[in-house]
Amino acid sequence: MRVIGTAGHVDHGKSTLVEALTGIHPDRLKEERAREMTIELGFAWLTLPDGEAVGIVDVPGHRDFIENMLSGVGGIDAAVFVVAADEGVMPQTREHLAILDILQVPAGIVAMTKIDLVDDPAWLDMVEADIRETLAGTILQDAPILRVSARTGAGLDDLKQALAELLAKCPPRPDFGRARLPVDRVFTMPGFGTVVTGTLMDGQFRIGDEVEVLPGGLKCRIRGLQSHRTKVDAAQPGSRTAINLAGVDVNQIERGDVICSPGKYSASHLLDVRFRLLRDVSAPLRHNSEVKFFIGAAEVIGRVRLLGDEEVQPGQEGWLQLELQSPVVAVRGDHYILRRPSPAETIGGGKVVDPHPEKRHKRFDPGVIRGLDALSDGTPAEILMEASAALGVAPLKEVINRTKLAEDAARAAVKDALAQGWLVPLEDTMQTGEALVVSAVQWRQLSDAMLAAVEGYHRMYPLRRGIPREELKSRLKISSRIFSVALKRWLNDGKLVEAGNGLARPDHQIKLTPVQQQQAAGVMKQFSANPYTPPSIKEVRETLGDEVYTALVELQELTPVSSEVVFRKADYDALVEDVRKWLAGGGTLTVAAFRDRYQTSRKYALAFLEHLDAVGITIREGDNRRLKG
């Protein structure tokens, strides 16, 4: 599930464009409809031409509501940057662009809207040239510019196709197994209670999970989950998610809180960050300045401690330690935005480097700066895990090569990641770089996919012992080598058991329905009455159906000896034992002799003896058979 966010100047048609694309008007407040502008975040969704369902966050464009805009763009996968053809680039156009650039939104498309209001093609060309110049040097400098009209529908199909192609190139949201959802809306639904919404940044939530609300530390439980107003059992990373919470009142949660897996996160008043000051700000950023800090959906007042300098000049970067009035939940690598409270102005932002510094740093200590420089790339173990997440199941040496760590650092990182349980070895030895490894989260995802495939097969074919190995490999879409080592691990861990030529859950049992049991009992009476001339396979299949016949074979109540002949297992075993005794001491046996001994026909006699040849009990010499070896 991907999430797209709109951005752009007020009254440039963001909400109208969203409604034209989705059929859903994102403005949900009466005041918004009356003023014809988005005040709070709006939400909608659509299905792209390639079949992918995506959510859309529509953000306010008016300068008075720019801070509401910031709570919506932190979790998006791509931006639709809206510029009206009749007005071109405006003040909030530039501010929204700066915010997208600071947040390093992965991808974007520019929608030049309201082309139906412009009759002069030369004007459209001029506006497009101005947009391209404005985008230069930003994250959107190479973004395609599409001309559209929400009112006439011109260009909307092209915009949908462009979005599908753009998102197809974006990697899926990583899942590190630490679920967190910054809350951007809180409300009560009659009959359900407290509901929160947001974009799931990491991990998965499932119905029944216990969760923690930070920074307050409240504990509650997930009663229900929805994505795009559709109930789901589990919410996936990157999806717009609504969570119905049990055990917490609506007044105990507010925008900016984080719903997360218990014990995985902690809030902090102190953050070490890398900062870039925008070029066109009104003044440098000075030490001890008061700022508004935005991260996820949170907004907090804080003060800036400049490290290594007294001020940061426009267009420059520096190290900051932020002292916040209220604690926030942050993770290394999270993007943030800073604004001046008065006069209100977006001044810059960057990345969180250390979300939990031990203390206030000495501002001009060279060792502090060196430590932050090193930490900006992450610890060796974190770098290793990022490389592992990017590669999936891969040889250890490939993961290490991707990290570009020195040999000693790489060796220590592997040891640390294994000790922490972050890295899972899929082969017995780690002495060779060829051994396959995978991140713990991706191993869980692969194992979950395997269990879902096997359980789905059991539901579809309850009378079969298990799923064929090749079919399971095909469903998982993994290579033969990966499947082989993964299967060995699943079997050793008891997640799967071998079931004949297939694989099954340990608790899977073949169970006939009462009606099927009654039908099978009737057929088995026919076998009992005629043990040496029993019903043929064709007759049994016609009476019971293919699935029940196969189940009786899997349950070892029937034993086929050819494509036509099948015996009751007890009769088959008795025949084999009798033939062994008959041939003991060097005796021989012909088809005719077998036929006469058991008062059967040549069809049954020949099928049974050829079967004994095939399984290595007898060997044929002319018309005679003797015990093999």
Side-chain angles (χ1 to χ4, degrees), residues 578-589 625-629:
D578 196 37
V579 167
R580 287 184 183 277
K581 291 179 180 178
W582 188 344
L583 300 181
T588 61
L589 175 64
R625 283 173 169 82
R626 61 176 177 80
L627 284 178
K628 186 175 181 179

Side-chain angles (χ1 to χ4, degrees), residues 32-43:
E32 292 177 320
R33 295 295 186 98
R35 296 176 63 178
E36 294 186 344
M37 68 168 63
T38 300
I39 298 171
E40 288 284 354
L41 299 175
F43 305 99

